[in-house]
Amino acid sequence: MKDFLYTNAKSVLHHIRPINIFLAVFAEWSIYYILLRPLQVANQLLSDWQFIGFIGFSTGMMIAGYLINDLYDEGIDRANDRNSPLIRGQLSRKQLWFTFAAGQMLTLSSWIYLWQSYDFHGLIWLLWLGPAGLLFYATRLKCRPLAGNLLMAFFAACLPAMFLVRDPGLPWHPEFPGRIRFMFLWYLFFSFGATWFREIVKDLEDESGDRKGGCTTFPVRYGMASGRRYAINIGILYMTGLILFLIQLFMRVEILTWLWIAIIAVPTLAIALKNTVSRNYHQAQQWLKWHLTAGLLMLWIFKWMEVWNG
């Protein structure tokens, strides 16, 4: 019995991607507690309990989003030879639907708490755009060229700043420090650009299985050559944005801070782009994961070297 429960728990964890959820929650925590909370203009933005409510909402939303994606993509995952517990028969669809319902209950209960704690403010309803968007992506947009990639990139950009839903204009407050605003807006752009690039690289890697599964992604509809050009163009566009950011950052921070941020940001993206050019899409994906992790390190480096040290 103990082995059975352990195997089932391990299988469920595989489908809900705990590492991805941890990184998303850590991004929310880093932006709020490390970048914004110390500011006088932002320290009354939300209480600790409200922040926990936002974490509960985003965690439940991502759990449900990953599971609905795997449930709808079972045929495509089989075509792509995904080695998931559902494909291997270690979990049933019924068990995943039950876990999906649990994730939705966490999302709903967290939202109810947030809604009443903000005195039933109407903007809190905007949070439901997240779960609705993930459901729409899994059931409608994932297999459509461009639209699915852009939706996931937009979701990645919005998730770390979802706690601003009550006061979305805060970064433009006159008392909000310009350097903090610059880093905050940069991180949102970074999340959008890196995720957009990664999504199309993932489509290139999965082209064969997507074609067999009837999923009309960009490479399936327009061909691998066009898909590769699309990915390279997005990668170059994003790299250009990163370079422009570093040029602007050079004029705002100490040289040592700038060097550390450039060292962890540029090489990971350059290697991912090089692997995309050489058609090594799996390696490109892995380096883009490291690049996304590097984005969090940028925030911490900025905090350690610029804020805590004056």
Side-chain angles (χ1 to χ4, degrees):
M1 183 65 177
K2 183 179 179 180
D3 290 342
F4 173 79
L5 292 174
Y6 172 78
T7 301
N8 274 266
K10 186 177 179 181
S11 298
V12 168
L13 284 174
H14 177 94
H15 282 281
I16 66 176
R17 283 81 152 180
I19 294 177
N20 292 2
I21 292 175
F22 169 78
L23 288 174
V25 168
F26 187 66
E28 290 182 74
W29 183 83
S30 297
I31 286 180
Y32 180 63
Y33 276 97
I34 303 302
L35 211 57
L36 301 183
R37 181 70 178 270
L39 303 177
Q40 185 175 358
V41 70
N43 61 14
Q44 299 300 320
L45 182 64
L46 66 158
S47 69
D48 289 340
W49 282 109
Q50 285 171 326
F51 185 76
I52 291 172
F54 278 108
I55 295 300
F57 183 90
S58 56
T59 299
M61 174 178 62
M62 286 185 285
I63 288 173
Y66 282 131
L67 290 173
I68 195 70
N69 182 73
D70 288 352
L71 285 162
Y72 269 83
D73 281 0
E74 183 180 358
I76 296 172
D77 288 344
R78 290 186 187 279
N80 278 310
D81 295 322
R82 300 278 188 209
N83 193 28
S84 71
L86 179 64
I87 303 303
R88 295 197 304 267
Q90 293 178 329
L91 279 177
S92 67
R93 290 178 62 86
K94 182 179 179 180
Q95 288 172 304
L96 287 188
W97 277 116
F98 179 82
T99 311
F100 167 81
Q104 291 288 57
M105 286 302 298
L106 176 59
T107 303
L108 178 61
S109 58
S110 299
W111 180 85
I112 290 173
Y113 166 73
L114 289 169
W115 191 40
Q116 63 84 26
S117 72
Y118 281 111
D119 297 322
F120 309 102
H121 197 281
L123 287 177
I124 305 302
W125 283 92
L126 291 175
L127 292 175
W128 285 109
L129 291 175
L134 289 178
L135 178 63
F136 195 56
Y137 169 79
T139 59
R140 299 279 184 176
L141 289 184
K142 184 175 183 179
C143 292
R144 294 189 180 183
L146 191 59
N149 300 150
L150 285 173
L151 179 62
M152 291 307 296
F154 181 73
F155 176 81
C158 290
L159 182 65
M162 67 187 305
F163 50 80
L164 287 176
V165 66
R166 176 63 179 82
D167 188 10
L170 178 67
W172 288 269
H173 191 282
E175 297 180 14
F176 201 94
R179 286 191 308 167
I180 305 294
R181 181 190 306 114
F182 180 74
M183 287 299 297
F184 172 74
L185 295 178
W186 151 250
Y187 188 79
L188 302 190
F189 167 78
F190 160 83
S191 299
F192 180 88
T195 302
W196 190 7
F197 186 24
R198 182 174 178 267
E199 285 293 310
I200 182 59
V201 170
K202 185 175 181 294
D203 287 344
L204 286 165
E205 183 183 12
D206 292 345
E207 187 272 344
S208 177
D210 288 343
R211 185 180 296 278
K212 294 176 184 176
C215 188
T216 315
T217 58
F218 194 98
V220 171
R221 173 169 290 187
Y222 300 107
M224 286 291 286
S226 295
R228 177 171 164 270
R229 285 194 295 270
Y230 168 38
I232 292 171
N233 287 334
I234 296 303
I236 292 173
L237 181 64
Y238 173 52
M239 176 67 87
T240 302
L242 176 60
I243 293 171
L244 291 175
F245 157 74
L246 289 172
I247 292 172
Q248 292 292 316
L249 187 67
F250 185 78
M251 298 181 285
R252 287 175 164 85
V253 300
E254 297 294 331
I255 184 64
L256 191 59
T257 306
W258 184 86
L259 283 172
W260 273 109
I261 290 176
I263 286 170
I264 66 171
V266 175
T268 49
L269 179 59
I271 294 172
L273 188 55
K274 177 180 178 295
N275 277 289
T276 303
V277 171
S278 60
R279 297 179 174 84
N280 192 346
Y281 304 123
H282 179 72
Q283 282 299 314
Q285 266 218 84
Q286 298 305 309
W287 278 104
L288 282 169
K289 289 179 181 178
W290 282 112
H291 181 67
L292 285 163
T293 305
L296 287 173
L297 292 178
M298 290 184 227
L299 294 178
W300 281 83
I301 289 171
F302 178 77
K303 182 68 175 181
W304 287 330
M305 306 187 75
E306 294 291 318
V307 181
W308 286 344
N309 293 319

